[in-house]
Amino acid sequence: MKNIISSTDLGRKEIEEIFSLASSIKKGKKVKAIRDKVVALAFFEPSTRTFTSFDVAAKRLGLQTTGFRSEHETSVAKEETFADTIRMLSSYADCLVIRHKFDGAAKFASQITNRPIINAGDGKREHPTQSLIDLYTVLNSFGKIDGLRYGIVGDLKYGRAVHSLLSMLTTFKPRHVHLISPRQLEMPKGFLKGLNYPYGETERLESVIGDVDVLYATRIQKERFPDEIEYNKVKESYRIDRDIVSRMKDKAIILHPLPRVTEISRDVDATEKAKYFEQAGNGVPIRMALYSKILGG
Amino acid sequence: MDDTIMINKIRHGTVIDHIPVRKALMIPRILRLTEGKDTIAILVNAKSRLMDRKDIVKIENRILKDSEVNMLSLIAPGATINMIKDYKVAEKKSAVIPQRIEGLLKCPNGHCITNHDPEALTVFDLVTKSPLEMRCGYCNVSIDESEALKQVSGE
């Protein structure tokens, strides 16, 4: 394994190996330290959770980290091109973790440098390490990923975590996927063409809530909207509260890539269905497993 | 009155014949012909037995590569491409829609990296020939025939 650019780059066997290694790490099994190597965390777009978990995962393995947390901290702010910034980082570090607002940035970076590239989220479509975390959390809850009924609710138009997850699910066999969103935020039609499993679209969460095993909620992301008027029309379209939870299957779970705003009520946190903090915690072992696969050989 | 325009035969090079009318003017741009020193003749609205009217392009001293021939399929799928050696047709080729087009088309996605870094040249891969659909290798956004034609023609 050299790069992780897209959710569809990884085969089922590779994904299962990553999950298996992450489980060993979670159980406290010692993994081989990777010393004398440096990871550059190149976050051209701000992020808290992803940045921190990549940073912590590296340090737990003995790796050193360098980098930046926003474009303003780089020479890009001085009009240096993205390609030149990647070349510069490649001369300092052994692996580059890239977060960027533009689609295809990580793929382009992988063509600029021979150093391994890990896509920490770019553009509107790719966030493969988040998808690994999501499905790993599903696996830990149900013992399987195949055969389940998924409900994806919220911003299906701009949300990269959702697009990436739905792409990674094409490597598995979900029974059905409900795509739940206001019309303004529905899944782009071109994207739907790439799905190889049964799915349906609806605006009403209530109509499918009793059917799902995994409810994946997302934030309506203000920063992705072209203007505030459009954002205000849809910002509180869905709210998962105790009433919604009471209509879910007994063993169903709720995931969220976080941060949340108002889409999940705080009193849901205490229910057994709320798995989103466990999901966030899985960020470190999954990213440790990825570093081990890429740099530990 | 005789409305014939005489254009000399070429000794060595490529003749692109049976180009739909007024599409010949796009060809120098697609094949980057004007970047070299070769003599190029462009004939628009020539009489044709097969097509009533047609365009013709003659390029002296340059034999088009297969990849260049295939680029012509975007605007002139029925064109015949004759490779000329010593004033004779040495080989005939027809344009096939290419599996990949690099550096010619612009990605319509304003958030694609190819629109933000001068080194990130566009790559479009063929999805379907009919109707034509090509997909950006960086962001997966598709373009159709009318968009591709619009871009190639510069309209």
Side-chain angles (χ1 to χ4, degrees):
Chain A
M1 188 184 298
K2 189 190 171 194
N3 299 312
I4 297 176
I5 305 294
S6 165
S7 288
T8 51
D9 285 348
L10 296 165
R12 187 167 177 134
K13 189 161 172 273
E14 282 176 303
I15 293 173
E16 286 168 355
E17 283 173 10
I18 292 163
F19 290 169
S20 169
L21 185 53
S23 291
S24 298
I25 291 167
K26 272 185 90 165
K27 284 175 193 155
K29 192 184 158 200
K30 284 263 180 205
V31 282
K32 196 176 151 195
I34 314 166
R35 304 204 188 280
D36 304 322
K37 285 194 176 170
V38 177
V39 173
L41 302 174
F43 279 54
F44 295 84
E45 184 184 64
S47 156
T48 307
R49 220 163 322 276
T50 309
F51 184 95
T52 308
S53 73
F54 267 112
D55 193 31
V56 170
K59 285 169 177 156
R60 286 199 184 278
L61 285 168
L63 288 158
Q64 295 171 67
T65 59
T66 184
F68 46 87
R69 300 181 79 137
S70 85
E71 198 169 84
H72 303 295
E73 297 172 37
T74 72
S75 291
V76 171
K78 299 174 195 163
E79 298 188 6
E80 181 178 59
T81 65
F82 175 68
D84 279 355
T85 307
I86 295 302
R87 288 190 185 97
M88 181 268 296
L89 290 171
S90 301
S91 65
Y92 302 154
D94 300 282
C95 171
L96 277 61
V97 177
I98 295 174
R99 172 96 159 202
H100 206 289
K101 65 182 170 185
F102 293 139
D103 296 293
K107 182 169 186 177
F108 177 53
S110 73
Q111 291 159 357
I112 296 285
T113 176
N114 285 325
R115 300 288 193 198
I117 299 289
I118 299 176
N119 187 354
D122 69 359
K124 290 193 283 289
R125 293 185 65 127
E126 293 290 356
H127 199 351
T129 67
Q130 179 65 50
S131 308
L132 286 169
I133 293 161
D134 300 341
L135 292 183
Y136 180 64
T137 310
V138 172
L139 181 68
N140 284 348
S141 296
F142 291 95
K144 62 180 184 178
I145 293 165
D146 297 329
L148 298 173
R149 293 176 172 273
Y150 295 76
I152 317 285
V153 59
D155 173 7
L156 309 189
K157 183 177 181 184
Y158 298 108
R160 65 162 72 107
V162 164
H163 294 160
S164 206
L165 175 61
L166 291 171
S167 292
M168 193 171 276
L169 272 174
T170 61
T171 307
F172 295 88
K173 290 185 167 51
R175 175 78 59 86
H176 191 89
V177 177
H178 296 285
L179 302 170
I180 309 143
S181 69
R183 194 162 294 164
Q184 299 95 315
L185 293 176
E186 69 186 15
M187 190 64 72
K189 295 289 174 241
F191 185 86
L192 292 173
K193 280 200 279 183
L195 304 183
N196 62 357
Y197 43 74
Y199 66 85
E201 294 179 275
T202 178
E203 290 185 60
R204 294 188 63 241
L205 174 62
E206 293 78 5
S207 65
V208 295
I209 191 64
D211 188 54
V212 301
D213 299 301
V214 179
L215 182 64
Y216 192 92
T218 62
R219 177 171 65 100
I220 310 274
Q221 301 174 87
K222 188 176 181 181
E223 64 271 25
R224 308 271 177 230
F225 278 79
D227 64 66
E228 193 149 350
I229 299 167
E230 287 300 307
Y231 170 70
N232 286 332
K233 281 183 197 165
V234 293
K235 66 179 179 183
E236 288 177 5
S237 301
Y238 302 103
R239 185 171 172 82
I240 297 160
D241 55 19
R242 286 270 189 165
D243 177 50
I244 291 284
V245 168
S246 70
R247 287 189 257 166
M248 295 176 75
K249 289 181 187 171
D250 283 350
K251 299 240 167 98
I253 64 168
I254 303 167
L255 300 181
H256 191 304
L258 302 180
R260 68 167 156 184
V261 188
T262 55
E263 58 276 8
I264 301 178
S265 159
R266 308 269 149 189
D267 59 7
V268 172
D269 297 357
T271 68
E272 284 186 1
K273 297 192 175 347
K275 297 287 183 190
Y276 29 90
F277 292 115
E278 178 186 323
Q279 179 189 2
N282 285 333
V284 172
I286 285 287
R287 285 165 177 142
M288 284 175 74
L290 291 173
Y291 283 137
S292 289
K293 291 272 180 198
I294 291 170
L295 294 169
Chain B
M1 199 175 97
D2 184 4
D3 60 357
T4 306
I5 296 174
M6 293 299 293
I7 293 181
N8 288 345
K9 284 187 170 184
I10 56 172
R11 179 176 180 179
H12 184 78
T14 307
V15 174
I16 308 166
D17 200 354
H18 301 112
I19 304 166
V21 169
R22 281 184 286 280
K23 295 284 175 68
L25 296 168
M26 302 172 192
I27 289 178
R29 192 176 107 86
I30 296 172
L31 300 179
R32 299 189 176 97
L33 295 179
T34 51
E35 291 170 16
K37 290 183 178 174
D38 308 316
T39 302
I40 303 153
I42 299 175
L43 198 59
V44 177
N45 264 335
K47 279 188 179 168
S48 165
R49 273 176 300 154
L50 290 176
M51 314 168 59
D52 185 26
R53 295 278 171 177
K54 66 179 180 181
D55 290 0
I56 303 169
V57 173
K58 295 186 176 188
I59 311 157
E60 201 156 38
N61 294 324
R62 182 163 155 193
I63 300 287
L64 294 185
K65 292 181 236 160
D66 283 353
S67 58
E68 292 175 311
V69 168
N70 291 341
M71 298 280 261
L72 298 175
S73 64
L74 287 176
I75 57 156
T80 46
I81 296 103
N82 298 317
M83 310 305 176
I84 309 294
K85 285 180 183 164
D86 282 328
Y87 299 106
K88 289 182 181 156
V89 177
E91 193 180 357
K92 270 183 184 287
K93 288 186 177 172
S94 51
V96 176
I97 293 172
Q99 287 300 316
R100 171 167 279 200
I101 295 180
E102 292 178 300
L104 176 71
L105 301 169
K106 180 179 158 63
C107 183
N109 171 10
H111 271 76
C112 179
I113 188 69
T114 57
N115 287 313
H116 297 277
D117 192 290
E119 290 179 57
L121 295 181
T122 59
V123 174
F124 278 87
D125 291 313
L126 183 66
V127 181
T128 54
K129 284 186 182 176
S130 184
L132 183 70
E133 181 186 353
M134 302 205 76
R135 188 174 292 157
C136 174
Y138 288 97
C139 70
N140 283 330
V141 167
S142 290
I143 59 173
D144 60 13
E145 188 168 356
S146 67
E147 172 69 22
L149 262 176
K150 200 169 109 186
Q151 288 192 25
V152 168
S153 64
E155 284 169 2

